[in-house]
Amino acid sequence: MNTTLWIVAGLLAVVFAFSGVVKLSLPPDKLARAPAGGWVEDVSAGAVRSIGALEILVPLGLILPAVLDIAPVLVRLAAVGVALLMIGAVITRIRSDHVSNATIIPDLVYLALAVFVAWGRFGPEPF
């Protein structure tokens, strides 16, 4: 179980690091033209940058505290934070009428993975 939690946390870390870098480096109009980027038109550029910054923090929160054995409770809190971020993503997509299977399913999968890591680290496999 511990290995599975590490793999899922690593996968989430890679996905969110990439997504955060993209949100911080590309202009919002270019993000809006991406296949799942229609939601960008409904929020401010500052909000997009803030989301990107939060996504950059995901790998730091999911991996570093456990690897360095410094406040490993932060892994649990980071997983909860990722779940809340993904709940916000789903709500934003629904409210902005940019919902399709291609956009909502990955968000729900990342939400489920984050909930799994949070459940695993709070429950059966705490550090």
Side-chain angles (χ1 to χ4, degrees), residues 31-107:
L31 283 172
R33 291 191 305 261
W39 65 272
V40 174
E41 297 169 346
D42 299 328
V43 297
S44 69
V48 174
R49 299 284 184 240
S50 297
I51 292 167
L54 287 173
E55 289 178 349
I56 291 291
L57 294 176
V58 168
L60 301 176
L62 286 178
I63 304 298
L64 284 183
V67 168
L68 299 176
D69 197 26
I70 299 173
V73 70
L74 293 177
V75 174
R76 301 172 191 152
L77 298 177
V80 170
V82 173
L84 293 174
L85 188 66
M86 295 316 302
I87 290 169
V90 169
I91 291 170
T92 300
R93 288 201 196 278
I94 291 170
R95 293 178 92 193
S96 67
D97 294 327
H98 290 96
V99 179
S100 70
N101 286 341
T103 60
I104 200 89
I105 290 176
D107 290 344

Side-chain angles (χ1 to χ4, degrees), residues 5-25:
L5 288 167
W6 271 106
I7 291 169
V8 172
L11 174 69
L12 287 171
V14 169
V15 167
F16 279 92
F18 176 76
S19 179
V21 167
V22 168
K23 284 181 182 74
L24 289 175
S25 63

